[in-house]
Each structure stands twice: as C-alpha cells, then as structure tokens.
C-alpha cells in the first residue's frame, strides 16, 4: 500500500484508538476520546464496551455522538441507567478498565487541570468547565489514557489547579491518597506518546509520531522532558484506519 | 398530589426570590422553557443547582436571576465555554456569582442523599484534588467499620426541582425514558417540584427502562410541548445542534445577549397553556 497523507490530529486519534484493547470496557468522554473509541470499535476492537457518563452502558452508535447524552447512545446501548448508578455501581468499584481523559493542562506526573487557568480560583484569568466525571475516572478506572495536543501552554511545570490526580507528586502518592486504579499509563499527543518512567513515574517520551523530532517534543513541553532510552516511532495510520476515521467524522460535519 | 398548572402559574407559585432551584437534565430533557419563564418572571437571588449547567443556565445567569451556582461541569456541550457564566465569575456581570464546585460523582451523590432523606452521602472521590480546598461541602470521613478515609458530601435538597419529561397522564403521573440523568433524584430530593411534559395523555403506556414518578411525589405538572428545546426529548424531538453553535457568538457579547434576551425571552409569547 502506498503511504497516504494524514494530519497530526488523525495520527493522535489513531494512536489513541490503538491503545484500546478489544473486549474491555472504556469510560468515554466526548470529543477526541469518543472519536478514538468509536474508531477502535470499527477496526481492531469490535467488542469494546463503550460507557458514557450520561448512563449508557455498551453503546454501539452507528455515527459519532455529538455529546455524551446523544440519543443515538441510548438507542444502541445494552442498558441505560441513571447518572448516580454509572458513577456508584460501575465506575467507583473499579469495574471499568480504561478511562479516557483530555484536559487543558497536564504536568510531568500526569495530573490534569480542567478548572481554572491564571489568577486565583476566585478570580481566574480563564474559567474552564470544571471537573465533570474526571476526578473519579482518574481515581477508579484500572488505567487512564490522556489525550492532549502538546504545547508549552498545556504541558506545564506546575498546574494552576489539580482537578484530577495522575501520580500526584511521584511514587507512593496514589497509594497515600487511596486511589485504586493504576493511573495514567499513556499521554497521547499530536507529537508522540509519553509514558511514566517505571521508577520515577515521571512522564517520559517513549514514542514519536512519524516525521517528529525529539527537539520538537522538548520545545512543546514546559518541563525538561526526559526521553526513553528505547525511543520508537509509531506506525503511520493505515489506509483502513484513515478511511474509517474520515467516514466517522463526516457523520458530524454537515 | 400533582396539580396540572400552566407553566406561568407553576413558576409563579413554586419559585420565589432567593430559592435554591435545580433545573436538571443530562443533555436530554432539559427544562429550558421553565428556565425562560423564570427569567420572564424576574426572579432574583436564586441558588441554581445543576450537574451540567449549559445554555439555559448561561441565559439565566446573564439575565441576573442567580447569585450562586452549585455545579460540576459548566460548558456548552460540543461547542465550548459558557460566556455569560464566565463574565459573571470573572467580572461580576450583571451581578456577582458565587460558585460551589463539585465533581459529577459528588453532585450525583448529593442528590441521592437528598432523595434518600439522609444528611450526607459517602463516596470514594475527590482525594488528592484541589476541589476540597475550595468547596466547604466536601469533607473527609472515616469509615466506622474499616477506618478507611472516604469523602462525605451533604444532601442537596432544593426548594424547587424542575425537570422535563415526555408524558404525564391527566392525574399527574409522569413517565420519562431514554437518558434520565439525575431527574428522578432531583424531584425526590426537592421540597417542591415541577415536571414540564411534552404531552398529557389519557393513559401512560409502560415502557422498558422508563422512570415513573407517581403523582403523589410531584407538586405540579405543566404541559409544555417542545419545552426542552434546544435539547431533545427522545421520541418527540431532535437536539437542535445549530442552536448550541449559534449561542456562542450571542453569549460572547453583552449587547448581543441583551438583544437576544429582549426579543427571544422577555417579549416572547408566554406558553399558551
């Protein structure tokens, strides 16, 4: 097959999709996580169980949902339950394998801010939407994937607000807080993939997207980015992945 | 026992200045028409509660109805920020807005405790985040059996809970289906409640998975066809996605917003029923 053109966002979405394992349950947020999860279900993971915080368990939408409460999710779900049930019965006890989060800021230990930027909490420079389901998703899913475009504005040395905990301030932090899941196992970006160092838990560049240089990733990171000894390069999106992704996106771009 | 009232009568009777009011709806079945009626009747000093304040809360905040917001995620779903909400927090326009901020799990459990007649709910949440530093209503509690540190949040018992549903019968029993969020908990947690419905029918036909709220659990029912617009009512209407997109430029500009308020809400026809 001849190589095809694709965007950095398409590579990021495909990379996120490939991180989802068939047969597992995934707590899906709207936007890029939802696109990636629906792509996975149409490619390598047909038995992926999609769970949305609106209360739909096992949704199988035939188009991309426009919000976490889109009617297509209720129409195609195995079951529709109330919001307290989704959080208390399904998320809190650790029944869900993968949580999928985005955010405005992330730090070197995978902690996430979706609350405020700049100023103080009462008088922020920018007020963001807030926590939503994220703190408990980050605490309770067995593992967490984070998807964010990489820039010095987003990948910061210090968060303005900790909305959701990754590895806190390093080893032992999750245990001290009583958080049950493993924490963020991958941060997937438009430049590559960061994974926690097994010893220090600091996010370390482990994979580059094709055509991206290490210096570019370093320049887009607000802390001195460490690079894994065995840095690999991702496979570009296959023709099938691109076709399915573009067909999916066309369902919401009238 | 539920009484069938017009929307105008119901809001006039049930919602007072200074009340704590929850208009709930999780993307689906949002009681937007009821929110507009509250704006038209000029309520002030409300504490508005909602897990996902979206466009109708942006409009109520911009119209000056609210002095406090209790919430867990404020945004225009699929579009971006709520600019009237931001303007109120960042610039106190048109009036200062105090906030009490939670996570979804925390808010859902506050309603559960409220509906259960308990003073608080327990969850395993918030730990390690900055939220407890800014929200007095999040406390650590020790499990009396295991000693584990857990989180407690107090019951949320609004003065008035308002939700939208598909159907009621003529005596005020309500049935809703599809994504039903925290609507049941909101009605049961509230001292007074109003359910606006798409349609009043002679007899409710039971549906699998539907939530039924018996007439004796509801204060008032008002028939308001299309009362969830621009959100949707499964089986009745589709979500008006263009409205959510078109709201963004209106909300970004105070003058555009005030024009919108004048033409679309304050001088709009009241509900005919």
């Amino acid at each position: 097959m001849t190589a095809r053109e694709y965007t950095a966002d398409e590579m990021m979405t495909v990379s996120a999709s490939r991180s989802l394992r068939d047969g597992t349950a995934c707590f899906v947020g709207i936007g890029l996580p939802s696109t990636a999860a629906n792509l996975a279900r149409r490619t390598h993971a047909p038995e992926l169980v999609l769970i949305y915080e609106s209360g739909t368990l096992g949704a199988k939408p035939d188009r991309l949902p426009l919000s976490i409460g889109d009617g297509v999710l209720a129409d195609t779900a195995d079951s529709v339950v109330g919001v307290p049930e989704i959080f208390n019965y399904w998320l809190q006890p650790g029944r869900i394998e993968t949580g999928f989060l985005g955010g405005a800021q992330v730090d070197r230990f995978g902690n996430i801010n979706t609350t405020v930027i700049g100023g103080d909490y009462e008088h922020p420079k920018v007020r963001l939407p807030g926590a939503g389901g994220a703190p408990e998703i980050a605490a309770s899913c067995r593992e967490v994937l984070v998807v964010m475009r990489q820039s010095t504005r987003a990948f910061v040395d210090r968060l303005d607000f900790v909305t959701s905990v990754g590895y806190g301030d390093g080893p032992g932090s999750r245990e001290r807080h009583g958080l049950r899941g493993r924490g963020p196992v991958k941060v997937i970006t438009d430049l590559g993939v960061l994974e926690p160092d097994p010893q220090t838990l600091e996010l370390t560049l482990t994979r580059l997207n094709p055509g991206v240089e290490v210096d570019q990733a370093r320049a887009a990171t607000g802390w001195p980015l460490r690079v894994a000894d065995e840095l690999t390069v991702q496979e570009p999106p296959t023709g099938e992945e691109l076709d399915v992704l573009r067909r999916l996106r066309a369902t919401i771009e009238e | 026992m539920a009484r069938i009232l017009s929307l105008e009568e119901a809001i006039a009777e049930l919602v007072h200045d200074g009340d704590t009011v929850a208009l709930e709806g999780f993307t689906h079945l949002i009681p937007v028409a009821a929110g507009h009626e509250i704006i038209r009747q000029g309520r002030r000093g409300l504490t508005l509660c909602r897990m996902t304040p979206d466009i109708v809360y942006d409009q109520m905040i911009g119209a000056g109805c609210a002095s406090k917001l209790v919430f867990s995620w404020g945004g225009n779903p699929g579009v971006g920020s709520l600019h009237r909400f931001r303007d109120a927090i960042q610039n106190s326009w048109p009036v200062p807005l105090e906030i009490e901020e939670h996570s979804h799990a925390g808010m859902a459990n506050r309603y559960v405790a409220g509906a259960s007649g308990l003073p608080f709910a327990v969850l395993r949440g918030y730990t390690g985040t900055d939220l407890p530093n800014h929200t007095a209503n999040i406390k650590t509690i020790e499990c009396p059996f295991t000693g584990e540190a857990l989180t407690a949040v107090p019951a949320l018992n609004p003065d008035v809970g308002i939700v939208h549903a598909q159907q009621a019968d003529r005596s005020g029993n309500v049935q809703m289906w599809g994504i039903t969020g925290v609507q049941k908990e909101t009605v049961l947690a509230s001292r007074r409640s109003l359910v606006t419905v798409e349609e009043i029918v002679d007899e409710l036909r039971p549906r699998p998975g539907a939530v039924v709220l018996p007439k004796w659990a509801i204060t008032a029912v008002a028939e308001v066809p299309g009362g969830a617009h621009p959100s949707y009512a499964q089986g009745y209407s589709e979500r008006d996605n263009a409205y959510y997109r078109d709201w963004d430029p209106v909300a970004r500009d105070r003058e555009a917003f005030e024009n919108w308020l004048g033409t679309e809400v304050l001088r709009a026809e009241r509900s005919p029923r």
Side-chain angles (χ1 to χ4, degrees), chain A residues 21 97-98 137-144 165-167 174-175 179-185 196 201:
Chain A
R21 288 185 297 280
E97 176 75 16
T98 309
I137 293 170
S140 300
C141 284
R142 279 177 248 158
E143 62 175 36
V144 172
V165 180
Y167 296 109
R174 284 189 73 84
E175 292 75 9
L179 307 178
R180 300 203 149 189
R182 275 197 297 283
V185 295
L201 298 179

Side-chain angles (χ1 to χ4, degrees), chain A residues 135-163:
Chain A
E136 284 81 15
I137 293 170
S140 300
C141 284
R142 279 177 248 158
E143 62 175 36
V144 172
L145 302 176
V146 181
V147 190
M148 278 171 69
R149 291 185 190 89
Q150 200 166 343
S151 74
T152 49
R153 281 177 56 201
F155 284 60
V156 297
D157 191 40
R158 194 177 164 77
L159 296 183
D160 292 332
F161 191 100
V162 179
T163 314

Side-chain angles (χ1 to χ4, degrees), chain B residues 112-135:
Chain B
V112 168
S116 306
L118 289 168
F120 66 89
V122 174
L123 68 153
R124 190 176 279 124
Y126 291 117
T127 327
T129 76
D130 281 338
L131 283 159
N133 304 331
H134 297 281
T135 302

Side-chain angles (χ1 to χ4, degrees), chain B residues 81-95:
Chain B
S81 296
L82 296 178
H83 298 286
R84 293 298 91 226
F85 160 65
R86 269 193 178 181
D87 203 12
I89 291 185
Q90 295 171 204
N91 308 306
S92 298
W93 193 92
V95 290

Side-chain angles (χ1 to χ4, degrees), chain A residues 69 75 88 121 127 129 132 162, chain B residues 72 74 101 104 109 127 130 232 234:
Chain A
D75 282 338
N88 287 355
Y121 176 76
R127 174 67 229 193
V162 179
Chain B
S72 44
E101 184 161 7
H104 279 352
N109 278 289
T127 327
D130 281 338
Y232 70 104
Q234 195 133 11

